[in-house]
Amino acid sequence: MNINGKPYRTIWTDPAEPGAVFIIDQRPLPHELRIVALRTLDEAVTAIRDMWVRGAPLIGATAAFGLYLASLEAQTQADPAACLAKASRRLAATRPTAVNLQWALDRMQAVLQPLPAGQWPARALAEAQAIADEDVQISYQIGQNGLPLIEAVARRKPDEPVHILTHCNAGWMATVDWGTATAPIYLAHQAGIPLHVWVDETRPRNQGARITAYELAAHGIPHTVIPDNTGGHLMQHGLVDMCIVGTDRTTRCGDVANKIGTYLKALAAHDNGVPFYVALPSTTIDWSLCDGRAEIPIEQREGSEVTHIQGWDEEAGRILPVRLTPANSPAANYAFDVTPARLVTQLITERGCCEASESGLLGLFPEKNSV
Amino acid sequence: MNINGKPYRTIWTDPAEPGAVFIIDQRPLPHELRIVALRTLDEAVTAIRDMWVRGAPLIGATAAFGLYLASLEAQTQADPAACLAKASRRLAATRPTAVNLQWALDRMQAVLQPLPAGQWPARALAEAQAIADEDVQISYQIGQNGLPLIEAVARRKPDEPVHILTHCNAGWMATVDWGTATAPIYLAHQAGIPLHVWVDETRPRNQGARITAYELAAHGIPHTVIPDNTGGHLMQHGLVDMCIVGTDRTTRCGDVANKIGTYLKALAAHDNGVPFYVALPSTTIDWSLCDGRAEIPIEQREGSEVTHIQGWDEEAGRILPVRLTPANSPAANYAFDVTPARLVTQLITERGCCEASESGLLGLFPEKNSV
């Protein structure tokens, strides 16, 4: 999408600079737009592991481009195949729970292994590019399938903006372009529908306040940042027309694991008759699970993400962490929660929309009937 | 309650220092414990207006002590009565929505007006002290009435701590001592019941992370700070035995206005069969209202409380504000929300516990039948 009028993706190459992969380093957002060139496997590993890039689809694409960088390095090694395999293992270990990561690496290995090492770089670059392009296409399809839901509201209230609440960042910065939850929003904006997005700040890591707000501001979409506590009040007072969120993992029965706090917004939406949509690429459906609450393991992260926060020191003009809590108070940091399917109005996938249920999902993905 | 073993109230005088009223300046908490002596009406006005003290009961007590300071200043004025009346108006204007403020000032004026000005200071000091003492007694009674709810859980699971979730600060720092939501917790701790408190950080002003966590840490009660997004997940997994929160205003039908986000926790408690208790002094019941959602006006505060946060710069050893959002993203800051009575298990008042309903409240306060 656009940053101040110029179109970007989150990851790209430039024919004029072979051997370089460009990313937006998302850590200093929204305070600084930092474009970084990754030129080695080490740099790609660092970028994924230390969350310069994040979001399952973007992690997958970055790993694919990382293997392209590794294929260049393998040329000078005694055993290029061993070198490539080791690179793949290193990349896979950066974020062990990201399902797209292993999928992208397996796909890259499958096309490279049959070839002589000398042909790897060109083939790896093409395949990584294909993975990125396909991700853009999937997000775009999610957008196309979600767009009618926004259009329907816009028809009901032609003189007012459609108010959409979102949680965390399932935006283009989490994918290669368009995003998942944001894809229908960007397409509706492109279609001239007046919109306004309520952006949950999404503590503790504030991906809403930092990244979703940055995206929307940079693309010119009206929005307002709110504390995570606010959505229920807004819904009680008719100020939210729909919620659209992303998901990290959805079970075959339609239970949705997403950033911590999603469940609370789904409860409020349900209590106030506000539609609650979850946008997802089908790669994030876990066909092996049904009961999300019981079966999806929830990552616990460092308490320091709760006790400390990073912001812009306006006096010194720099990014600074500050402590929010008493020095001797512990903090808990559960990264995700599970929203039961009963609270989800519809799932929006690249193949279309469906009820959040096994039969709904199998209707769109009949090939999974045998799983 | 205790701060590092020494008992405190939030406001007190010292016979050795007449003409001084001591408070805990709550702004630098939890990073610094700053005791301030208020010696003039101006200082008392500033302390209330700029939220050195906050919480309806404590605001009322501070206003009463402020009128004591004004009564000292009135001695040297040509028209002491006009001076005192003006002081009362100034104090009343500091936080116009705090109901206890006007109540305390009216009570002070009623005892002072019949007396000659020369007798005001001693009488004002005694009356302000009585207001503070009565507030302590009310909080203590709330604690006594809530204690059996905690004891009942403790009997069911004798080998584990009772896990209590609270939102914002309805602790002793919001009152003169004990607090409202925290009073049963402090009494249970005193009775030797093993406890653990989940402390919602309570964005945007973080009264949970800053003040409730400070209180509990200083008094030695096990607790964990959590993002506001976390409570739903904890309740889904059986990690919360009960919620206890305070309230800023409760309608006669039992709808509860409290810090923004309370409603979301009440929804999660209801969805998971977790009891949701609201502790309140009867002074915060608004007998003139029934439908809280429709009738209670919700204060909107500065967006800067959302876009910026204050924390401890560990490098420089000082408190510093940092910006969290893009410079051009607006923010909304609704201070309260309304939890419908249907989501409240019981109200805990100084007269006892009751159902959150008109008949429940009138059972405890039959004198209000005629209202």
Side-chain angles (χ1 to χ4, degrees), chain A:
Chain A
M1 309 316 297
N2 291 351
I3 298 179
N4 304 325
K6 182 180 166 194
Y8 278 86
R9 284 184 175 188
T10 50
I11 190 162
W12 67 95
T13 54
D14 181 345
E17 290 203 49
V21 176
F22 297 91
I23 60 164
I24 297 170
D25 179 356
Q26 299 188 21
R27 294 171 305 159
L29 289 177
H31 309 298
E32 188 190 322
L33 176 63
R34 190 185 296 166
I35 310 288
V36 173
L38 307 177
R39 296 181 192 278
T40 65
L41 169 67
D42 275 352
E43 289 174 355
V45 164
T46 302
I48 302 173
R49 188 193 56 213
D50 295 351
M51 299 179 76
W52 305 14
V53 294
R54 19 70 58 195
L58 176 54
I59 287 170
T62 308
F65 280 107
L67 217 57
Y68 155 63
L69 296 174
S71 77
L72 292 168
E73 293 172 18
Q75 301 302 315
T76 58
Q77 302 296 309
D79 185 347
C83 177
L84 197 70
K86 190 178 167 201
S88 183
R89 285 194 301 273
R90 282 190 62 200
L91 286 161
T94 49
R95 296 287 304 277
T97 55
V99 65
N100 298 48
L101 178 57
Q102 191 60 57
W103 167 86
L105 291 168
D106 289 348
R107 175 166 160 179
M108 293 291 288
Q109 286 279 33
V111 300
L112 297 182
Q113 271 167 359
L115 300 178
Q119 294 181 26
W120 287 350
R123 190 70 189 82
L125 180 58
E127 195 67 18
Q129 195 59 56
I131 287 173
D133 290 346
E134 288 167 28
D135 184 66
V136 173
Q137 189 55 31
I138 286 171
S139 290
Y140 182 78
Q141 284 303 330
I142 290 171
Q144 287 289 349
N145 293 330
L147 177 59
L149 303 170
I150 299 176
E151 287 173 331
V153 177
R155 276 194 299 272
R156 274 207 323 269
K157 39 180 269 190
D159 300 328
E160 278 178 78
V162 178
H163 293 284
I164 303 171
L165 184 143
T166 191
H167 190 71
C168 198
N169 178 260
W172 72 269
M173 293 272 186
T175 64
V176 178
D177 206 352
W178 295 101
T180 53
T182 55
I185 294 171
Y186 287 119
L187 281 172
H189 178 72
Q190 194 168 291
I193 296 174
L195 294 172
H196 169 256
V197 183
W198 296 108
V199 179
D200 274 359
E201 64 174 341
T202 320
R203 282 277 292 150
R205 290 178 61 87
N206 267 28
Q207 294 95 330
R210 294 199 305 109
I211 301 178
T212 305
Y214 180 86
E215 278 190 15
L216 296 172
H219 198 77
I221 295 185
H223 65 284
T224 304
V225 178
I226 50 174
D228 302 307
N229 285 322
T230 308
H233 171 74
L234 297 177
M235 292 189 229
Q236 280 183 320
H237 288 267
L239 299 170
V240 180
D241 293 306
M242 62 173 67
C243 304
I244 313 182
V245 301
T247 168
D248 293 82
R249 200 198 295 204
T250 294
T251 72
R252 73 169 189 279
C253 302
D255 290 347
V256 170
N258 190 43
K259 186 62 52 187
I260 191 82
T262 302
Y263 165 54
L264 295 171
K265 292 306 136 60
L267 283 168
H270 189 259
D271 200 45
N272 292 286
V274 173
F276 191 89
Y277 301 113
V278 179
L280 66 154
S282 60
T283 46
T284 57
I285 302 170
D286 186 335
W287 296 96
S288 71
L289 302 184
C290 180
D291 180 345
R293 191 197 63 79
E295 298 179 77
I296 297 178
I298 300 296
E299 175 187 357
Q300 287 196 58
R301 298 177 55 84
E302 285 291 319
S304 62
E305 292 182 351
V306 178
T307 58
H308 291 65
I309 198 165
Q310 189 168 285
W312 186 251
D313 173 0
E314 291 179 325
E315 196 182 284
R318 60 171 181 163
I319 294 169
L320 192 79
V322 293
R323 179 161 51 78
L324 302 175
T325 52
N328 51 352
S329 287
N333 185 6
Y334 295 84
F336 307 101
D337 65 18
V338 172
T339 299
R342 65 185 151 88
L343 301 176
V344 177
T345 308
Q346 285 212 297
L347 301 174
I348 309 171
T349 80
E350 74 271 23
R351 289 215 194 152
C353 296
C354 71
E355 188 185 84
S357 67
E358 187 163 19
S359 62
L361 279 167
L362 286 174
L364 287 182
F365 300 91
E367 71 274 23
K368 299 294 179 180
N369 255 310
S370 57
V371 172

Side-chain angles (χ1 to χ4, degrees), chain B residues 28 35-37 67 130 189 224 244 258 261 329 336 341 343 347 355:
Chain B
I35 310 288
V36 173
L67 217 56
H189 179 72
T224 304
I244 313 181
N258 190 43
S329 287
F336 306 101
L343 301 176
L347 302 173
E355 188 185 83

Side-chain angles (χ1 to χ4, degrees), chain B residues 263-281:
Chain B
Y263 166 53
L264 296 171
K265 291 307 135 62
L267 284 168
H270 189 259
D271 200 44
N272 293 285
V274 173
F276 191 89
Y277 301 113
V278 179
L280 66 154

